[in-house]
Amino acid sequence: MTVRGSNLQSAQQVTFVGSSSSRDNVVVKLSARAAQPTAITVTVPSRAKSGAVRVSGTIAAAVSSPQPVKIVAGLPAADDASGSTKLIAGGKREAHFGYHVNSSAAVGSRVEAVSGTTGKVVRSWPLVKSGEGSVNWDGFVGKEPATSGTYVLRLNDSASASAETTTGSDTQFELAEGFFPVRGAHTLAASEMQRFGGSRNHQGTDHFAKCGTPLAAFTSGVVQFNAFQGAAGNYVVVQRANGESYAYMHMRERSPVKVGAKVFAGQRLGRVSDSGHASGCHLHIELWTAPGWYKGGHAYDSLPLMKRLDKLN
Ligand SMILES: [Zn+2]
């Protein structure tokens, strides 16, 4: 958000006043460079409420916005996967392969995705009859992400005589089966209390991180639940195409994702915290078999997957 005015260069903080009570004030302190003479740009904190915005520390007295500012919870602008060099199955970015068919393509002409580890073709797509064609691969094979590793997108033997790859194609790349959900320093479930099952029949695994660490979806799917519950705190359940569902608990605030909306692997869900019944900020994550979370599936140990993802990204 940008506040415009004059003589703002000495401003020291912006306060989101919210309602008339001072209890919901959220203060953003400004760095020396953040305030320009005629404009101050600040990131709206997630806890800010609609209301007046006050700039203080200016040469003049504190100034308030003449109109209250309406703050709406939008979809998360953050794409936590954007810094990843790997392609993530179900991520926002897909592998792109473009080609041009020069003469009528022979029967059986296809683009194929080949595993660099096994040499096996994991998926293939028929060519267009003529001209420009392209394939965008989300890294899934059927309803499951492909195994992590190197992949090659290429024209198969039948196609290579009549078509050619166009520039800008992803011919070889590293694919990750998912994205580690805690996007900052963390400790993987270490004690018996933090692991699956055990004496308290723990349905998930607990991964500790500093309070407020961003939390992202580890795989793509559709939001099934977004709610608060006394034990789970702020939680979200995402269902994958294979019918399994995955619960993320104890988030700091209600997630901005909407029930029924699609999320991609690496999309911000919220922040790690200790809402609900939790001692210390951590992600409690549950994996449930189809048909899903409290819909007839059962919980299974999420630690093997979390360990794999933690090594990948
Ligand atoms: Zn737990």
Side-chain angles (χ1 to χ4, degrees), residues 72-80 215-228 234-239 246-248 251 253-271:
V72 289
L75 279 170
D79 167 10
D80 288 302
L215 180 67
F218 78 84
T219 192
S220 56
V222 172
V223 180
Q224 221 176 357
F225 299 96
N226 176 353
F228 177 87
N234 293 306
Y235 72 96
V236 160
V237 182
V238 177
Q239 187 160 45
Y246 312 124
Y248 306 78
M251 288 188 293
E253 298 99 4
R254 283 287 292 277
S255 174
V257 297
K258 299 258 186 303
V259 171
K262 281 185 187 164
V263 294
F264 55 86
Q267 181 171 333
R268 180 78 66 88
L269 294 178
R271 288 179 184 277

Side-chain angles (χ1 to χ4, degrees), residues 2-244:
T2 302
V3 181
R4 288 180 203 287
S6 54
N7 295 323
L8 296 173
Q9 63 275 15
S10 58
Q12 286 165 335
Q13 63 180 48
V14 173
T15 305
F16 291 82
V17 176
S19 64
S20 56
S21 148
S22 62
R23 265 177 295 160
D24 61 356
N25 286 9
V26 180
V27 174
V28 179
K29 295 230 185 289
L30 300 172
S31 68
R33 277 173 300 168
Q36 299 296 319
T38 58
I40 299 168
T41 299
V42 289
T43 303
V44 179
S46 56
R47 278 170 292 191
K49 302 271 188 300
S50 296
V53 171
R54 188 195 308 138
V55 176
S56 42
T58 55
I59 299 165
V63 287
S64 289
S65 57
Q67 297 288 331
V69 173
K70 192 174 183 208
I71 292 165
V72 289
L75 279 170
D79 167 10
D80 288 302
S82 62
S84 176
T85 55
K86 283 180 182 162
L87 219 92
I88 296 151
K92 195 178 196 177
R93 194 158 53 91
E94 298 185 335
H96 171 81
F97 182 84
Y99 59 90
H100 187 269
V101 178
N102 303 314
S103 55
S104 63
V107 176
S109 292
R110 300 177 81 82
V111 172
E112 54 190 21
V114 187
S115 159
T117 317
T118 63
K120 285 201 173 113
V121 176
V122 298
R123 265 201 79 171
S124 70
W125 300 262
L127 294 198
V128 295
K129 294 231 165 17
S130 65
E132 300 290 325
S134 68
V135 160
N136 284 301
W137 186 37
D138 64 359
F140 270 66
V141 175
K143 291 172 178 174
E144 303 292 337
T147 311
S148 304
T150 306
Y151 285 84
V152 173
L153 286 174
R154 67 183 184 201
L155 297 163
N156 70 358
D157 287 345
S158 313
S160 56
S162 54
E164 60 192 35
T165 307
T166 52
T167 53
S169 290
D170 288 308
T171 49
Q172 187 180 319
F173 51 90
E174 284 291 311
L175 181 80
E177 67 175 296
F179 197 61
F180 190 76
V182 178
R183 303 315 301 167
H186 56 270
T187 52
L188 285 173
S191 67
E192 197 237 324
M193 285 282 283
Q194 296 163 10
R195 293 210 175 115
F196 182 76
S199 52
R200 62 177 182 138
N201 192 25
H202 195 208
Q203 303 272 58
T205 55
D206 296 338
H207 311 284
F208 282 73
K210 214 175 117 196
C211 305
T213 303
L215 180 67
F218 78 84
T219 192
S220 56
V222 172
V223 180
Q224 221 176 357
F225 299 96
N226 176 353
F228 177 87
Q229 194 261 346
N234 293 306
Y235 72 96
V236 160
V237 182
V238 177
Q239 187 160 45
R240 185 192 271 178
N242 66 3
E244 293 204 346

Side-chain angles (χ1 to χ4, degrees), residues 84 86 148-149 175-178 307-313:
S84 176
K86 283 180 182 162
S148 304
L175 181 80
E177 67 175 296
K307 279 184 171 166
R308 287 205 306 277
L309 296 180
D310 192 34
K311 282 194 195 131
L312 290 174
N313 45 55

